[in-house]
């Protein structure tokens, strides 16, 4: 099967695909089509048709059987003979020269054009790096036809700016074989086992188009590749990677639908459970076609198509799910921490553009007890003449009325006014996108007004334009310096470019429409490092580069608690900038709940964890209060909690009592576990990995325990399994645990122990008013804060609430975990990050980074609860401080359904010299055990010796 059979040009367009997807996923779980009035007539016709079908049964069986046969290669080698010959240049270093045999008769599926010739010579090198195997194809031929706008000059300017370096050990070493001779072919092996190969696969190298196919033996699952509403496991089909502007981007592999994110990272799982991944280092639009053998008896096939001059691919060898993510992060960097306030509950509406539209919503939210962190203003706050800097009056009014810690996320657009009287006019065309024969600024139209477009590839835009403009905004503070870059890629209705499009005759265009549709023309010119780059190449990272420019300009103005909520995202940026992202809007169905979980997992793969769904961001006519409450349950574990409503009337304050109270309870549970979430995010920052892991990637979770495509339960961080209810009108759920595993129900403190060789199955309540079910794995430590006793109206209130620890012991009575104490702005490094180790009846605390001396209550340890205890009758404990002093603690033992757990707290006694709190920065360890009969607990603690008799 080839492109000539329609692989790039699918039979269905996105409108048909989206309609069929919606038809399958209505909230009622049935199709939207109504009863046919001609039903009887169709029944009669159906009977006749059935008789006809009997006559062709044999033929039909043959056709159906065809679907179960192994899939064909992308190109039939009998008609597509690879015309490239390979010469070994320096095989010891993995260097080869690939030359096209121009004398060989060859039936190409594509034809040359004046702008796009076949490449006659390429340099190829394959080499094993510390954490990945890289393949680089470099065009050695002379460019022809196109202006000097080259892909190889295009670089994301964020590399290695603030990256946390990962030192990975024991990365599997991959090896490569290249067959020198008449046909180019390479094979990559993992411990002598074939991982992927180009044998009999397409290999087309043109100046501005590249195509390469791989066979991937024993590979059954494919994940990643861009942003779209699609199943976690990508089906057979073509997937476009292109920064598009579609909210409702439902895609089943037809290659014409893509959301905002450009993420060319493909994670694959082999039939033996091992993972590996391909990272396509291009910054240009591309598509990836996937074909699998449904019987898993033949190789799966991948075909990569991309525009650009060179081709670079990395192979991350795994073998675990977390390994491939960490290996990618050695290149992209680990994500930077966002300021604490970014995790607060924020309301956004397109109708928020003045105090009349904002104040009543905020007043009602606060009056009804919602812990509102702030608001996100809609684009309408910008003037109709594309004015970016028109928010001072509104923002000053909000912070004056609701306090300086009331947070505001501001809108931003890459478009500026054409009128040179406006204060946001680009004074120098060097900072704007240019084009045309004279190289003038590209003039664009939007909403009936004319304007220009900023050039985010030109880093002088930051210092010469954005930073000076930000310095003039009096309302910009560390509470109001976050920007929502809505549809970062310019959404335009026309332009003034009339020159011929040099990219018109290329064999590949991503998506459903030409890339220039409603955007900048393909031959518009950006400037990077003094070189010209066509928008054709820059489109994929336009929005991500704009995000980095805005953040740099804010930092120049000393606004260090800033971040950007970017619609357009790209790989390698989160390791250098505080980037957050909301997923594309959804239609509003219960199946979409699972889609949000899928997106959380995918963006964890992409190393962009600061994400979340647009809570309840569906049309008012689809309004379902209970469904909205379910979205808030997902927000308990999502890093972002932004209610995104175009209709400011569809807000929880107007809901019925039950869903309204359920939403309030979910926000309370979110804040209870926010320290755990921040701890896990800091773990990812320091050690790499992700905070959302599908259970099929967790040891013990076989298909018998949970189906691999069931994402209603995932691992949140390294310690908690969460179980969502994603089915309509269901208030119970069966939860299964692997044989031999031990868990703790964090809501009830109940121990859940699965016998060896036997899966444990339990039923739990899941009504919208019930707590989200969370289960702590054995051998872990989880931190929480008591948001029931202490009132939380904003996340900053958590600074003054003590920590509580839940420890779940292994059968060896051990556990380990991390703690993260945060007492002020992230930019002020007001935190302490450390490890907790539990063994031999000791709970030890070791700071790893930035030790604190803070006296805020968040550094106070209020209670420790130890579960899965196998030592009966623990009745004594004491704390040893780093200065050598010790004091007794209060210990209480409990029994629940035959299982024991105990708590340790500071002992409140009349002695004024005995501390009444434990400050973690001062704590060395806590010891616990069984006191001798008649022995005073206080005598167990001594500055010199602690001893418990077991």
């Amino acid at each position: 099967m080839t492109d000539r059979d329609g692989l790039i040009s699918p039979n269905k367009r996105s409108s048909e695909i989206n309609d069929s997807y919606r038809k399958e996923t209505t909230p009622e779980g049935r199709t939207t089509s109504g009863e046919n009035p001609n039903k009887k007539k169709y029944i009669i016709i159906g009977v006749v048709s059935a008789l006809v079908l009997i006559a062709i049964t044999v033929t039909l069986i043959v056709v159906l059987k065809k679907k179960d046969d192994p899939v064909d290669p992308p190109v039939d080698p009998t008609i597509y003979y690879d015309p490239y010959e390979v010469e070994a240049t320096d095989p010891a270093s993995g260097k080869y020269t690939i030359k096209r045999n121009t004398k060989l008769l060859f039936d190409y599926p594509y034809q040359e054009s004046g702008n796009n010739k076949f490449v006659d010579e390429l340099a190829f090198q394959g080499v094993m790096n510390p954490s990945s195997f890289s393949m680089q194809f470099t065009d050695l031929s002379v460019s022809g036809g196109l202006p000097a706008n080259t892909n190889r000059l295009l670089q994301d300017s964020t590399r290695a700016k603030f990256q946390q370096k990962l030192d990975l050990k024991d990365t599997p070493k991959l090896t490569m074989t290249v067959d020198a001779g008449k046909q180019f072919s390479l094979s990559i092996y993992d411990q002598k086992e074939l991982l992927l190969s180009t044998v009999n696969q397409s290999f087309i190298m043109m100046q501005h188009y590249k195509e390469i196919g791989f066979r991937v033996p024993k590979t059954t699952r494919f994940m990643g590749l861009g942003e779209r509403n699609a199943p976690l496991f990508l089906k057979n089909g073509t997937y476009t990677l292109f920064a598009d502007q579609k909210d409702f981007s439902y895609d089943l592999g037809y290659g014409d639908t893509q959301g905002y994110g450009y993420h060319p990272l493909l994670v694959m799982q082999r039939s033996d459970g091992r993972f590996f991944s391909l990272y396509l280092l291009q910054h240009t639009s591309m598509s990836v076609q996937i074909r699998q053998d449904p019987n898993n008896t033949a190789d799966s096939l991948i075909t990569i198509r991309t525009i650009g001059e060179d081709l670079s691919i990395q192979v991350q060898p795994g073998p675990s799910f977390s390994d491939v993510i960490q290996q990618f992060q050695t290149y992209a960097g680990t994500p930077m921490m966002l300021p604490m306030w970014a995790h607060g509950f924020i309301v956004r509406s397109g109708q928020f553009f003045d105090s009349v539209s904002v104040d009543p919503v905020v007043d009602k939210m606060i009056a009804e007890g919602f812990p509102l962190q702030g608001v996100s203003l809609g684009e309408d706050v910008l003037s109709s003449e594309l004015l970016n800097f028109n928010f001072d009056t509104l923002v000053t009014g909000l912070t004056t009325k609701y306090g300086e810690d009331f947070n505001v996320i501001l809108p931003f657009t890459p478009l500026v006014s054409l009128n040179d009287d406006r204060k946001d006019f680009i004074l120098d065309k060097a900072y704007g996108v240019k084009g045309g024969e004279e190289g003038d600024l590209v003039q664009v139209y939007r909403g009936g007004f004319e304007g220009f477009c900023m050039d985010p590839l030109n880093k002088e835009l930051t210092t010469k334009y954005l930073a000076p403009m930000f310095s003039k905004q009096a309302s910009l503070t560390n509470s109001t310096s976050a920007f929502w870059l809505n549809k970062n890629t310019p959404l335009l209705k026309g332009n003034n470019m009339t020159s011929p499009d040099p990219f018109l005759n290329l064999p590949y265009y991503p998506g459903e429409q030409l890339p220039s549709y409603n955007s900048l023309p393909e031959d518009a010119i950006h400037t990077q490092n003094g070189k010209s780059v066509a928008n054709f190449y820059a489109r994929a990272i336009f929005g991500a580069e704009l995000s980095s420019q805005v953040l740099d300009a804010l930092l120049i103005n000393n606004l260090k608690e800033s971040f950007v909520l970017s619609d357009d995202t790209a790989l390698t940026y989160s390791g250098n900038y505080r980037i957050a992202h909301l997923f594309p809007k959804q239609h509003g169905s219960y199946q979409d709940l699972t889609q949000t979980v899928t997106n959380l997992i995918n963006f964890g793969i992409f190393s962009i964890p600061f994400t979340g769904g647009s809570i309840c961001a569906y049309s008012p006519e689809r309004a379902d209060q209970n469904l909205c409450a379910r979205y808030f349950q997902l927000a308990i574990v999502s890093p972002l909690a932004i209610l995104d409503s175009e209709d400011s009337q569809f807000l929880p304050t107007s809901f019925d009592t039950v869903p309204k109270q359920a939403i309030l309870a979910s926000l309370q549970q979110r804040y209870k576990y926010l320290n755990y979430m921040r701890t896990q995010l800091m773990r990812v920052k320091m050690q790499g990995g992700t905070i959302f892991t599908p259970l099929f990637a967790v040891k013990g979770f076989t298909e018998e325990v949970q189906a691999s495509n069931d994402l209603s339960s995932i691992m949140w961080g390294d310690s908690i399994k969460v179980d969502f209810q994603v089915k309509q009108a269901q208030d119970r759920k069966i939860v299964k645990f692997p044989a031999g595993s031990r868990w703790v129900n964090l809501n009830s403190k109940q121990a859940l122990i699965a016998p060896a060789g036997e899966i444990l199955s339990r039923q739990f309540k899941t009504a919208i008013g019930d707590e989200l079910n969370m289960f702590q794995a054995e051998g872990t430590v989880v931190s929480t804060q008591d948001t029931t006793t202490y009132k939380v109206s904003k996340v900053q209130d958590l600074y003054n609430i003590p920590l509580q620890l839940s420890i779940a012991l292994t059968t060896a009575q051990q556990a380990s975990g991390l703690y993260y104490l945060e007492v002020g702005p992230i930019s002020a490094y007001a935190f302490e990050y450390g490890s907790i180790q539990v063994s031999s009846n000791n709970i030890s605390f070791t700071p790893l980074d930035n030790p604190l001396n803070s006296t805020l209550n968040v550094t106070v340890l209020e209670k420790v609860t130890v579960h899965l205890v196998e030592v009966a009758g623990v009745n004594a404990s004491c704390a040893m401080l780093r200065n050598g002093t010790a004091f007794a603690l209060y210990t209480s033992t409990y029994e629940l359904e035959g299982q024991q757990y105990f708590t340790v707290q500071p002992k409140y006694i009349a002695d004024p010299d005995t501390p009444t709190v434990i400050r973690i920065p001062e704590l060395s360890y806590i010891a616990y055990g069984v006191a001798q009969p008649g022995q005073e607990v206080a005598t167990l603690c001594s500055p010199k010796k602690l001893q418990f008799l077991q």
Side-chain angles (χ1 to χ4, degrees), residues 36 87 98 139 165 242 245 281 283 332 389 441 456 465 469 498 510 543 648 737 742 758-759 769 809 852 945:
N36 195 322
E87 296 179 0
I98 304 173
D139 182 357
K165 297 298 182 182
F242 177 67
Q245 300 171 351
L281 278 72
H283 286 145
F389 307 102
L441 289 175
Y465 176 68
M469 292 305 301
T498 57
S648 58
F737 304 89
R742 293 151 51 98
E758 182 179 335
I759 295 173
L809 298 175
L852 277 177
K945 185 177 181 181

Side-chain angles (χ1 to χ4, degrees), residues 684-702:
V684 171
K685 167 65 181 171
M686 302 298 290
Q687 302 174 18
T690 179
I691 67 168
F692 297 108
T693 305
L695 291 185
F696 61 79
V698 178
K699 183 179 180 180
F701 282 92
T702 61

Side-chain angles (χ1 to χ4, degrees), residues 302-529:
I302 300 170
T303 304
I304 301 165
R305 299 173 175 90
T306 180
I307 59 177
E309 294 184 352
D310 301 330
L311 179 64
S312 183
I313 302 172
Q314 283 187 356
V315 184
Q316 277 94 30
S320 73
F321 182 77
S322 60
D323 285 336
V324 295
I325 296 174
Q326 288 178 308
Q327 288 158 9
F328 164 69
Q329 288 169 334
T330 61
Y331 178 83
T334 56
M336 293 187 69
M337 294 289 286
L338 262 60
M340 178 82 158
W341 70 265
H343 300 286
F345 173 47
I346 293 170
V347 174
R348 182 197 190 214
S349 175
Q351 299 182 15
F352 284 171
F353 54 87
D354 58 20
S355 59
V356 175
S357 58
V358 176
D359 288 8
V361 174
V362 174
D363 290 341
K364 193 169 185 180
M365 280 278 184
I366 295 174
E368 298 202 14
F370 285 87
L372 186 64
Q373 188 73 30
V375 295
S376 176
L377 304 179
E379 276 197 10
D380 285 345
V381 76
L382 307 177
S383 77
S384 57
E385 296 186 34
L386 314 178
L387 187 62
N388 272 318
F389 307 102
N390 192 34
F391 44 73
D392 266 355
T393 301
L394 176 56
V395 172
T396 301
L398 289 172
T399 55
T400 299
K401 181 175 181 179
Y402 301 110
E404 291 184 358
D405 60 351
F406 185 83
N407 298 109
V408 183
I409 300 178
L410 303 165
F412 194 86
T413 170
L415 308 180
V416 295
S417 173
L418 175 64
N419 186 342
D420 58 8
D421 292 331
R422 308 302 303 193
K423 62 181 178 180
D424 70 336
F425 176 67
I426 294 184
L427 298 176
D428 190 326
K429 70 177 184 179
Y431 314 135
V433 178
K434 299 178 288 297
E437 295 181 0
E438 302 298 327
D440 295 326
L441 289 175
V442 174
Q443 183 176 326
V444 297
Y445 304 87
R446 180 176 178 179
F449 291 88
E450 297 175 310
F452 296 126
C453 182
M454 300 178 195
D455 181 4
L457 270 66
N458 185 346
K459 293 309 285 186
E460 285 192 326
L461 178 71
T462 295
T463 56
K464 300 293 181 61
Y465 176 68
L466 288 176
M469 292 305 301
F470 285 152
S471 69
K472 300 175 183 178
Q473 313 309 310
S475 64
L476 281 183
T477 67
N478 276 324
S479 294
T480 61
S481 57
F483 284 90
W484 190 317
L485 274 62
N486 186 23
K487 295 180 174 59
N488 314 34
T489 303
L491 179 61
L492 312 174
K493 296 300 181 185
N495 56 69
N496 65 345
M497 298 290 291
T498 57
S499 60
D501 186 351
F503 300 95
L504 186 61
N505 296 317
L506 296 189
Y508 166 70
Y509 286 93
E512 185 176 19
Q513 297 161 324
L514 294 179
S516 57
Y517 179 79
N518 278 358
S519 187
L520 295 170
E522 300 307 324
D523 55 344
I525 298 300
H526 301 268
T527 302
Q528 185 182 59
N529 300 328

Side-chain angles (χ1 to χ4, degrees), residues 87-97 123-129 133-136 174-178:
E87 296 179 0
T89 306
D90 183 2
S93 301
K95 295 181 179 180
Y96 297 83
T97 300
F124 169 74
Q125 183 172 16
V127 61
M128 186 69 204
N129 301 312
F133 186 91
S134 65
M135 295 177 281
Q136 177 70 39
L174 304 183
T175 57
M176 176 187 69
T177 63
V178 176

Side-chain angles (χ1 to χ4, degrees), residues 10-68:
N11 296 325
K12 292 186 178 182
R13 309 317 303 162
S14 63
S15 58
E16 299 175 73
I17 300 165
N18 289 339
D19 288 343
S20 65
Y21 193 100
R22 289 192 291 271
K23 185 176 180 180
E24 296 170 1
T25 59
T26 54
E28 295 77 20
R30 50 183 169 79
T31 63
T32 57
S33 54
E35 186 71 20
N36 195 322
N38 297 317
K39 181 177 180 181
K40 292 183 179 180
K41 181 173 71 175
Y42 291 152
I43 291 174
I44 294 172
I45 295 173
V47 172
V48 175
S49 299
L51 295 175
V52 177
L53 287 173
I54 293 173
I56 59 172
T57 298
V58 175
T59 303
L60 181 60
I61 289 174
V62 172
V63 174
L64 292 177
K65 183 66 174 68
K66 177 79 172 169
K67 290 187 176 181
D68 292 332

Side-chain angles (χ1 to χ4, degrees), residues 2 60 111 126 134 191 247 429 465 500 615 789 794 825 836 859:
T2 71
L60 181 60
Q111 299 301 315
S134 65
Q191 299 177 355
D247 273 324
K429 70 177 184 179
Y465 176 68
I615 302 176
T789 303
K794 291 184 177 65
I836 302 173
T859 67

